[in-house]
Amino acid sequence: MSDPTAVRRALRALFSPLGCPDPYPHYAVLREHGPVSRLPDGTVVVSRHADCDRVLRDPLFRVEDDAYLARTWPEGRDHLSVFSLMGEMVNQNSPHHERLRRLVGRAFTPRRVAGLRPAVEKLVDGLLDGLAERAAGGAPVDLMEHFALPLPITVIGELLGIPEEDRAWFAPRVQAVTSAIEQNLAGEALERADEATAELWDRLGALAARRQEDPRADLVSTLIAVREEDGDRLTRRELLANLVLLYSAGYETTSNLIGNGTAVLLGRPDLLARLRGEPERIDAWVEEMLRFDPPIQIASRWAGEDTELGGVALAQGTQVVALLASANRDPARHGDPDVFRPDRAPGGSLTFGAGAHYCLGAALARLEAAIAFPRLLARFPSIAHAGTGAPRNRMTSLRGYAELPLLLS
């Protein structure tokens, strides 16, 4: 039986400007009482696995692209951050999405990702050395600042070919763009994002110019060189926009996966002990971390024509928000969904999406996490929270920790 009051409360909590520290009880309310619900602005929110999966896979549901922007917010293109976002392959529909994915995918092959393993292992060991130095004498150490963030920032920097001295410069500017997206690309956040995007484009454009003159074995050089058989290649906008995408997606998702996964283990000492004893099964553990408390919580689409979803009629143009993290805990898909169980059968998580827009960097995120966790646990026989709690970030779409102070020994 539906409960409209409970549904309204859950939606207000989930989309509060202050963020939602624990969305999972609200997801459960929506799955039970309002699996297809409407926000006051007409946006439809879906919370069950079957509906979220269809929204991701059915080409009828489209991402917000240039054509959508021209109809709904034509002045948006005057903002460089929006112009850049609309040039990313994740914001392109067929056939443009397939074209961009083919071109970018040539520089992001499974072979290239697998070839990063020795470098990632060396990097992880070096970061663990740094954690050990900081933790000497019982001092608390922030896992996010000193491990979970620098690991993927360095890996994606190496992959792209960004000079080491420039990598710390990128993070706050990418964060400015992410924050503006969370705040619906409005107000001062949008102004900051425009400034940050201009700086990112200048820096990446200069790097691309150097690589055109002096190519190297990095992704920037590869993206400049890739061509289809008919001579098609990335435009300057597509190149710079997708470099920003790859850099931001390359570290935010992985850092939050490491932070969220560590917090889950610390909350269950039995799990911590078990993973220490079966590091060879880390891939299954990472998959359960992605399902249980995913770094990516939602995805957005719009209806390209009149349709229905979960028995509810949707008019063409309706905005649809798929609660991916709720789908991951749908009891119709997973038994005991609120229990962390690394022995689940693989598959079913929607964290990296599904269908044509499945995350191109998913394999890299999995690789980094699969290397990081066993080495972290092996290096420190004792890992515990330092203090009573750790602050979550204030985002709806991305879930993670602003900091995660630990005691290591």
Side-chain angles (χ1 to χ4, degrees), residues 4 91 127 134 217 234 257 289 294 304 335:
N91 293 318
L127 291 171
R134 291 182 174 87
L234 295 172
L257 167 58
M289 291 173 185

Side-chain angles (χ1 to χ4, degrees), residues 174-206:
V174 169
Q175 183 59 44
V177 177
T178 302
S179 296
I181 296 172
E182 284 285 328
Q183 298 176 52
N184 296 317
L185 297 171
E188 293 182 2
L190 179 56
E191 294 178 9
R192 289 193 295 270
D194 287 343
E195 295 172 1
T197 302
E199 294 174 346
L200 287 166
W201 275 37
D202 285 345
R203 187 68 65 99
L204 289 168

Side-chain angles (χ1 to χ4, degrees), residues 51-63:
D51 294 327
C52 290
D53 189 67
R54 184 193 162 198
V55 167
L56 295 174
R57 295 181 186 276
D58 189 339
L60 182 150
F61 293 100
R62 304 170 66 80
V63 298

Side-chain angles (χ1 to χ4, degrees), residues 69-125:
L69 193 71
R71 292 195 303 274
T72 60
W73 187 26
E75 62 272 26
R77 285 176 63 91
D78 297 336
H79 295 275
L80 182 59
S81 59
V82 179
F83 183 70
S84 179
L85 287 167
M86 293 300 102
E88 296 176 357
M89 62 183 173
V90 295
N91 293 318
Q92 298 289 323
N93 290 295
S94 182
H96 306 296
H97 173 260
E98 289 86 348
R99 169 184 165 270
L100 283 176
R101 193 174 178 100
R102 280 196 304 270
L103 289 168
V104 176
R106 292 187 178 191
F108 217 79
T109 63
R111 181 179 179 181
R112 183 189 289 265
V113 172
L116 290 171
R117 176 175 285 274
V120 175
E121 291 174 342
K122 182 178 179 180
L123 173 59
V124 166
D125 289 340

